[in-house]
Amino acid sequence: MSSASVPAPQARSLRVIFSVRPFRGHLHPLIPLARAFRRQGHRVAVATAEDMATVVTGAGLIWLPAGQNPRQLWDAFPDEDPDYGYLAVKAKVADLLEIAVEHFPPDVIIREPTDLAPAIAAEIAGAVHVVYGLGHFIPPKSWRILKADETIKALRSEYGLPEDPGLKSLYRDLYLSVLTPTFEGCHPLPVPAVQKLCYGVYDGGGTPVPAADAPEVPEAPVAPLVQDNGRPTILMTLGTVYNTNADLFSRFLEALGSEPVNVVCTLGDGASDAVTKDAPANVRFERYIPHSLILPHCQAMLCHAGFNTMMGCLSAGVPIVCVPLGSDQEYNARACDTDGLGLMLKDGEASPERIRAAVRRVLDEPSFAKNARAFREDMAHRPGFPAAVRRIEALAASRASRARKVAAHRAATRKA
């Protein structure tokens, strides 16, 4: 057999932990990448609090208990920041290290940017440390404002890690970037290594992967959601966390109720049923529907600019009107406005009249749809998940090779 016909050696199976804070908006974007590792034969688990256990297992992935919901942390450590306080982060570091020793020794830990504990746990465990950039880049100065640098300093000292005043350990091995320079907030990114990546939309619309080599199977299409009446269709949503804001839903409905548009409104769990009472006739309510099924039929979205919601919309080439409510939403909304992908209204200024005018403008001015389609095309030309998996496999192989060389050197030194 010629060397050309010899198949390339199969990369060894890796143990990959995805670590995420217990919010659907943080977890959902990680699921497509986790499934990509599964399809390549790697063992994958998601480490997060119990609140997200059913979401993880419902996506066909292994759930590992790590950390607590911020509400629990607030009760347990009332004098500390439940997000980045020393005791809160330490508790999750301890959980991750117990997992690494007792249950699932990781070759790779992939974290979402706001989860600090896995950065420390990966270094202690000797695992490759990857950040999936789900949101604009968080620079060291922001961590200092949040006093997270004090938490990191204390934990590194406690676990015998070298000092890191520049917080370089937060981005040690690889940063997966799915955003344009405008959204990232800085260019080039101040990290050792970057892998550009096409954003993978997850909205609950796929069935669990039953085996490591099985492809994802999309759900069967639902009944038509859009009336065939020649009117533009607007998708209205406040995501899965801020959807309890009945006041903003009411303003949205008042703004569009008299407009010549079709509205599909996804409420999500926890939204008040009062939102649907006396609703306009042009609005169809759904508790949940995968946005990927409806966005191809839409001409605009009206939402809060949550990261996963926004990226799903723009990845479908649909312009957006944003009324941010918290977290990174104002940053996301401003970037959409700056890049001509849509318009932003501040919550306090978002009267039904102004919302109506913004939606009309996005529908009437062709530049918004054109820019959104350009965003979609740019995303489509980026490397897909296989490129990220291969890059991380190479990092893990290099790490393992170095570890073997160090072990061999130590053994030879002892014999001598």
Side-chain angles (χ1 to χ4, degrees), residues 149-234:
D149 60 321
E150 298 175 8
T151 292
I152 294 168
K153 180 180 180 181
L155 287 171
R156 293 185 68 83
S157 175
E158 182 172 339
Y159 283 103
L161 299 174
E163 293 185 1
D164 180 27
L167 302 181
K168 294 181 179 180
S169 61
L170 293 182
Y171 307 102
R172 189 177 71 246
D173 290 326
L174 184 63
Y175 189 93
L176 304 178
S177 173
V178 296
L179 293 176
T180 63
T182 300
F183 279 88
E184 286 287 18
C186 60
H187 184 74
L189 290 170
V191 296
V194 176
Q195 172 68 57
K196 285 189 175 183
L197 192 61
C198 175
Y199 183 72
V201 177
Y202 176 82
D203 52 18
T207 56
V209 179
D213 58 350
E216 293 185 54
V217 179
E219 290 181 343
V222 297
L225 289 169
V226 180
Q227 297 182 50
D228 186 14
N229 56 13
R231 294 180 171 186
T233 297
I234 313 296

Side-chain angles (χ1 to χ4, degrees), residues 125-296:
V128 172
H129 169 208
V130 179
V131 181
Y132 193 177
L134 304 172
H136 66 89
F137 180 76
I138 305 174
K141 66 179 181 180
S142 294
W143 291 123
R144 294 189 180 99
I145 291 171
L146 295 168
K147 298 185 178 180
D149 60 321
E150 298 175 8
T151 292
I152 294 168
K153 180 180 180 181
L155 287 171
R156 293 185 68 83
S157 175
E158 182 172 339
Y159 283 103
L161 299 174
E163 293 185 1
D164 180 27
L167 302 181
K168 294 181 179 180
S169 61
L170 293 182
Y171 307 102
R172 189 177 71 246
D173 290 326
L174 184 63
Y175 189 93
L176 304 178
S177 173
V178 296
L179 293 176
T180 63
T182 300
F183 279 88
E184 286 287 18
C186 60
H187 184 74
L189 290 170
V191 296
V194 176
Q195 172 68 57
K196 285 189 175 183
L197 192 61
C198 175
Y199 183 72
V201 177
Y202 176 82
D203 52 18
T207 56
V209 179
D213 58 350
E216 293 185 54
V217 179
E219 290 181 343
V222 297
L225 289 169
V226 180
Q227 297 182 50
D228 186 14
N229 56 13
R231 294 180 171 186
T233 297
I234 313 296
L235 176 60
M236 179 190 298
T237 183
L238 290 179
T240 57
V241 175
Y242 292 84
N243 60 329
T244 57
N245 192 320
D247 172 66
L248 186 54
F249 266 131
S250 295
R251 281 179 276 159
F252 281 177
L253 293 170
E254 184 178 346
L256 299 185
S258 60
E259 291 293 283
V261 296
N262 305 313
V263 178
V264 178
C265 178
T266 57
L267 294 168
D269 293 334
S272 172
D273 290 335
V275 172
T276 66
K277 292 181 180 179
D278 301 318
N282 64 339
V283 180
R284 171 172 176 167
F285 291 100
E286 296 285 342
R287 183 61 63 178
Y288 167 77
I289 191 79
H291 288 175
S292 57
L293 294 181
I294 182 63
L295 278 169

Side-chain angles (χ1 to χ4, degrees), residues 105-121:
D107 300 291
V108 178
I109 295 181
I110 300 175
R111 69 179 181 93
E112 48 98 351
T114 70
D115 196 1
L116 294 181
I120 295 169

Side-chain angles (χ1 to χ4, degrees), residues 319 340 343 357-371:
L343 294 172
V359 172
R360 284 177 179 171
R361 185 180 167 195
V362 165
L363 292 175
D364 292 344
E365 296 183 19
S367 63
F368 292 105
K370 179 181 178 182
N371 292 337

